[in-house]
Amino acid sequence: VTRADVQNPRPRPHMKTRLAALLALAASAGCSGISTSYDFDPNFAFAEVTTWDWMPAPPIRGGDSRTESRLVDQRIRGAIELAMEDKGMQKVDNDPDVRVGYHLALDDAVSYETMNSYYGPGWGYGMYRYPYGGTMSMSTSTTRERRYTIGTLIIDVFDVNAQELVWRGTGEGEVHQARDPEERQRRADEAVWQIMYSFPPNS
């Protein structure tokens, strides 16, 4: 039994399946519709981090029910816990090296798409002739309104001793309605894994 086995118990059977799925996602992280970025403190010793815990949960503000939901919180926290476990970091209740928190926001957006239909020579319709033999085609256009939702998930890691932010990962992408709880969990796992793919940095 190695020290790693003692500090990081082997995942439960149902978690192994999710771990395997996340590892597959890692191989294709750049192929998803989620845009990710991260920033970190280069002076912080990430290599020495072995334990972590959650930041104190903020109070429920009673705002957007799509984000301030117990079920949404459970899915994201479960995905983060799984990612941290896979990175060899143990969750502890006392004296963790770092604390982790997240923020989720959904913003409704609108875009307008214009399609043009051009009638060129040969149609015998709506044609005007310029001097010197030139022609001009008539066209019609249709503008369609498209409404969609952009989701932003921010994951923060804080140094407990200094009480300072040392790593931040951000993911942003268009949100599509999932059909069932399993699909919602899969999407949460995928989003969290892609955001935390580069944590810890230089690993």
Side-chain angles (χ1 to χ4, degrees), residues 14-186:
H14 74 279
M15 297 182 70
K16 289 182 178 180
T17 302
R18 288 177 60 190
L19 278 171
L22 291 182
L23 290 174
L25 286 168
S28 59
C31 301
S32 174
I34 301 174
S35 174
T36 63
S37 62
Y38 71 98
D39 196 8
F40 66 95
D41 180 358
N43 297 316
F44 181 72
F46 288 95
E48 298 178 7
V49 175
T50 59
T51 60
W52 73 283
D53 196 8
W54 290 107
M55 288 288 291
I60 299 297
R61 297 186 299 273
D64 194 335
S65 59
R66 297 174 299 176
T67 60
E68 297 181 7
S69 160
R70 180 179 61 83
L71 296 177
V72 171
D73 181 64
Q74 286 179 344
R75 292 188 183 102
I76 295 178
R77 283 176 174 261
I80 293 175
E81 288 182 0
L82 187 63
M84 294 292 284
E85 178 180 344
D86 187 58
K87 292 173 182 294
M89 299 183 185
Q90 182 183 9
K91 185 176 179 296
V92 297
D93 296 329
N94 298 309
D95 300 322
D97 297 323
V98 296
R99 288 189 177 274
V100 179
Y102 80 89
H103 175 70
L104 175 65
L106 297 179
D107 296 303
D108 296 322
V110 180
S111 67
Y112 297 92
E113 301 172 348
T114 300
M115 300 180 62
N116 292 309
S117 299
Y118 293 95
Y119 300 91
W123 285 91
Y125 173 83
M127 186 69 64
Y128 292 88
R129 183 167 298 277
Y130 279 122
Y132 315 108
T135 61
M136 178 184 72
S137 299
M138 294 295 293
S139 68
T140 62
S141 63
T142 301
T143 300
R144 296 179 179 177
E145 179 184 88
R146 177 172 175 267
R147 296 182 177 272
Y148 57 100
T149 300
I150 295 294
T152 301
L153 176 60
I154 299 173
I155 300 175
D156 289 331
V157 178
F158 294 86
D159 176 9
V160 172
N161 292 328
Q163 297 185 2
E164 292 180 346
L165 178 69
V166 293
W167 187 91
R168 167 170 286 180
T170 302
E172 185 176 273
E174 185 172 342
V175 176
H176 301 279
Q177 182 63 39
R179 294 170 297 178
D180 51 54
E182 289 76 15
E183 176 68 11
R184 295 186 182 99
Q185 184 64 67
R186 187 194 67 78

